[in-house]
């Protein structure tokens, strides 16, 4: 089995300055990045296989791609609450946050509990993680009843006025994802948007979040897609 040092040595020759510049343009922290594309890292992770211990070692590296690899090889069944909190407090870039939440953290038994908890954090990427978890659960959990996702509404209402870019975009993502689960939740998500505007009448962030969500949930193609899922 490869060690974390050996993996890093295998990654270094793949460094791509053009891709690093592209990451920066998309708002990805790139000072410790090698600019290796995600499909390449996914293939490397597939070759390595699930490995909880190695993932823990890779996560400790400051190199961006080492953390991405850690996410891809982590076994969510071995992730406990302590690790979830440690990881989320290490988040420094939206892509690390989103990959970790959608690949590993939203599959844990306490994903819903942690999503509630993280939304109250003052740290931008911890708070983002809470709402990204809600969005990912809305997409990935195919079996739960609509009522589970309505539990997210008070948290979305409370924090919709947060003007920080990566928070408001995650709130918006969560609302849209919930609303696209079913026609019932689409209707309730639209009502949620109206409530948010009432609760945050002066907030530009809330207004942007709501307008963008309403636009998507009222799109005829989206409505058709939701109706097909609901039948």
């Amino acid at each position: 089995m490869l060690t974390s040092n050996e993996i890093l040595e295998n990654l270094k020759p793949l460094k791509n300055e053009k891709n690093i510049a592209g990451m920066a343009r998309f708002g990805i922290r790139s000072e410790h990045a090698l600019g290796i594309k995600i499909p390449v890292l996914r293939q490397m992770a597939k070759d390595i296989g699930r490995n909880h211990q190695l993932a823990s070692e890779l996560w400790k590296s400051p190199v961006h791609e080492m953390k991405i690899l850690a996410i891809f090889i982590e076994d969510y069944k071995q992730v406990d609450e302590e690790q979830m909190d440690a990881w989320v407090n290490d988040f420094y870039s939206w892509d690390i946050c989103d990959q970790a939440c959608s690949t590993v953290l939203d599959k844990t038994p306490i994903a819903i509990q942690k999503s509630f908890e993280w939304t109250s954090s003052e740290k931008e990427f911890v708070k983002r993680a809470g709402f990204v978890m809600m969005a990912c659960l809305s997409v990935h959990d195919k079996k739960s009843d609509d009522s589970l996702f309505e539990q997210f509404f008070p948290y979305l209402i409370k924090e919709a006025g947060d003007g920080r870019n990566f928070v408001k975009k995650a709130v918006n993502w969560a609302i849209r994802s919930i609303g696209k689960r079913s026609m019932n939740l689409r209707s309730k998500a639209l009502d949620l948007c109206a409530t948010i505007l009432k609760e945050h009448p002066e907030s530009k962030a809330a207004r942007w979040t709501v307008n963008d969500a309403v636009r998507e949930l009222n799109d005829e193609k989206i409505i058709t897609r939701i109706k097909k899922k609901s039948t």
Side-chain angles (χ1 to χ4, degrees):
M1 184 186 75
L2 291 173
T3 66
S4 58
N5 286 336
E6 288 170 335
I7 290 171
L8 180 57
E9 290 306 310
N10 288 341
L11 289 175
K12 286 180 178 178
L14 303 177
K15 185 174 183 178
N16 186 309
E17 294 291 348
K18 183 178 179 181
N19 290 345
I20 293 172
M23 292 168 69
R25 286 197 298 272
F26 281 97
I28 297 172
R29 290 275 296 274
S30 59
E31 56 264 39
H32 297 297
L34 298 173
I36 302 170
K37 292 187 175 181
I38 291 295
V40 175
L41 296 173
R42 285 195 185 279
Q43 183 58 55
M44 291 183 70
K46 185 177 180 181
D47 294 339
I48 295 168
R50 299 286 181 192
N51 191 314
H52 176 67
Q53 181 57 44
L54 182 57
S56 297
E57 294 174 16
L58 295 177
W59 186 261
K60 295 174 185 176
S61 171
V63 177
H64 192 81
E65 285 77 4
M66 292 280 273
K67 282 186 164 53
I68 295 288
L69 268 180
I71 292 165
F72 289 165
I73 68 170
E74 181 59 276
D75 179 3
Y76 73 89
K77 294 179 182 178
Q78 297 188 60
V79 174
D80 59 17
E81 183 173 8
E82 182 179 359
Q83 181 180 339
M84 292 177 76
D85 286 332
W87 272 30
V88 80
N89 278 288
D90 283 343
F91 291 166
Y92 58 86
S93 186
W94 66 263
D95 64 320
I96 293 284
C97 172
D98 296 4
Q99 290 285 4
C101 289
S102 64
T103 306
V104 179
L105 304 184
D106 75 328
K107 297 177 175 63
T108 62
I110 57 171
I112 294 172
Q113 171 193 328
K114 299 311 291 185
S115 73
F116 294 161
E117 180 183 320
W118 292 339
T119 60
S120 65
S121 175
E122 289 301 313
K123 295 182 178 180
E124 183 172 11
F125 288 108
V126 176
K127 179 172 281 192
R128 177 182 175 87
F131 292 114
V132 171
M133 289 277 273
M134 294 179 184
C136 293
L137 286 162
S138 298
V139 173
H140 296 157
D141 183 344
K142 307 295 184 183
K143 298 179 179 179
S144 292
D145 186 77
D146 285 357
S147 60
L148 182 146
F149 302 95
E150 291 178 51
Q151 295 179 56
F152 298 151
F153 287 9
Y155 302 90
L156 292 162
I157 293 168
K158 181 182 177 183
E159 303 298 342
D162 193 318
R164 289 176 293 180
N165 188 49
F166 294 115
V167 174
K168 74 175 185 180
K169 287 187 175 181
V171 171
N172 170 267
W173 182 10
I175 294 171
R176 291 185 290 109
S177 298
I178 293 167
K180 289 187 284 188
R181 279 187 64 86
S182 67
M183 288 302 290
N184 172 52
L185 280 175
R186 172 185 172 272
S187 176
K188 291 186 175 181
L190 290 171
D191 290 342
L192 169 67
C193 287
T195 300
I196 286 172
L197 288 180
K198 289 179 182 178
E199 291 293 321
H200 304 278
E202 305 300 323
S203 171
K204 291 181 180 179
R207 189 159 56 250
W208 176 87
T209 295
V210 164
N211 289 343
D212 185 76
V214 168
R215 185 182 306 112
E216 179 162 338
L217 293 175
N218 281 332
D219 184 280
E220 289 300 326
K221 291 181 180 178
I222 297 296
I223 293 172
T224 299
R225 198 177 307 157
I226 298 169
K227 284 179 177 178
K228 286 182 179 178
K229 283 201 292 186
S230 300
T231 56

